Amino acid sequence: MKIGEIPANAMIQIRVVRGEKKFECMAVVVAAREDGLYLYPIKHDGQLIDFSVENIQIFAFYVNEKRQAFGWSGCRIRKALYQRKLCQLLTTKRDSVRVNRRNDPRIRTDMGATLRTLSDDKDWEIVVRNYSENGIGFVCKKAIPEKDWNPVSIVYEDRAEQMAISLRVNILRGIELPSGLFKYGGTIQQPDEEWIRYVKHKLEAIKERNQAEESPDTNANSH
């Protein structure tokens, strides 16, 4: 798939890597051209993100209607004007590659939850950092024994949505972070329709927010 074939209003995932540090965010496509995409301004804490930092790698991921995931490496992102409005232009000379489902769009969060190991019925307090339809990432203050990884139950309450979440998860990987926390990632077993609707609703809310947060600086010159 060519990157210019991604339709307007589609959502893509952007991954920025610098050394061992990684940052991920979602972006919404304004329009496409042959070698890239015009994106609604990507902001963090209300500020436009500058992707011109040296020694970074930028990747883009897109999941089509058939749930096929594509990825592009060697991307650049810079400010540009599209129809006199400030956008960010993502370009790449690379062809796409098919990627696995772990690259589904992920929703970033910082939500407290309870993990229960089914092997010994022990509760662990965790913080969910990201999730998608099929996967979840979280951190814990203590190491969860590998013998108790499969499966576990994760429960939390999204008060804004007035929804109680209960997931059965197989933990696939875990590492100790320099901060002393333990980071885990896993796959959700047989996600039900309610969960899938919940995730899609969250992604749509992100898309709408990104589209609404157009910068007022519409007269800025492109670089």
Side-chain angles (χ1 to χ4, degrees):
M1 181 180 186
K2 296 181 179 179
I3 197 164
E5 295 174 350
I6 297 177
N9 295 318
M11 181 174 289
I12 65 169
Q13 179 184 15
I14 293 171
R15 179 179 300 161
V16 180
V17 178
R18 186 180 189 186
E20 296 183 356
K21 295 182 179 180
K22 182 172 67 174
F23 170 77
E24 294 182 351
C25 61
M26 305 302 296
V28 181
V29 177
V30 176
R33 69 183 207 184
E34 185 176 354
D35 65 340
L37 305 167
Y38 290 97
L39 306 173
Y40 284 95
I42 306 168
K43 298 182 180 181
H44 179 70
D45 291 335
Q47 300 296 316
L48 189 70
I49 298 176
D50 181 6
F51 292 95
S52 63
V53 180
E54 293 183 356
N55 301 320
I56 64 172
Q57 295 176 290
I58 302 177
F59 304 85
F61 301 96
Y62 170 66
V63 181
N64 65 16
E65 294 179 353
K66 297 179 179 179
R67 307 304 301 158
Q68 297 170 321
F70 298 86
W72 290 264
S73 61
C75 298
R76 295 181 58 209
I77 300 177
R78 59 184 174 85
K79 289 193 292 184
L81 293 179
Y82 181 78
Q83 296 182 347
R84 297 186 178 182
K85 291 187 178 181
L86 178 66
C87 295
Q88 284 175 294
L89 176 62
L90 182 152
T91 56
T92 180
K93 297 179 180 179
R94 307 280 181 84
D95 293 330
S96 69
V97 295
R98 288 287 298 275
V99 294
N100 61 41
R101 294 295 295 274
R102 279 167 53 187
N103 288 322
D104 280 356
R106 291 234 168 186
I107 298 164
R108 319 305 292 185
T109 186
D110 193 22
M111 190 173 295
T114 299
L115 179 147
R116 174 166 293 176
T117 56
L118 303 185
S119 57
D120 59 6
D121 203 29
K122 183 178 180 180
D123 288 348
W124 302 73
E125 296 303 312
I126 65 172
V127 176
V128 177
R129 290 287 174 82
N130 62 76
Y131 58 86
S132 66
E133 287 185 12
N134 299 280
I136 191 166
F138 61 91
V139 294
C140 186
K141 291 183 178 180
K142 296 182 179 180
I144 301 171
E146 191 169 347
K147 66 181 179 62
D148 298 325
W149 282 11
N150 296 317
V152 299
S153 173
I154 294 178
V155 178
Y156 67 90
E157 182 181 359
D158 187 334
R159 294 181 179 178
E161 299 290 336
Q162 297 183 335
M163 183 173 176
I165 308 296
S166 180
L167 303 169
R168 180 165 288 202
V169 174
N170 279 347
I171 299 177
L172 302 177
R173 56 198 176 276
I175 60 169
E176 184 175 2
L177 301 174
S179 63
L181 295 174
F182 293 85
K183 178 181 177 182
Y184 296 94
T187 182
I188 298 169
Q189 291 186 356
Q190 299 178 337
D192 59 25
E193 290 298 322
E194 186 176 25
W195 169 255
I196 292 173
R197 285 195 299 269
Y198 171 80
V199 174
K200 288 182 177 179
H201 173 72
K202 289 290 187 179
L203 289 171
E204 285 298 320
I206 293 171
K207 179 189 292 188
E208 291 173 4
R209 185 172 68 247
N210 287 349
Q211 290 175 328
E213 288 183 350
E214 288 189 82
S215 170
D217 184 16
T218 57
N219 294 318
N221 292 325
S222 60
H223 294 284

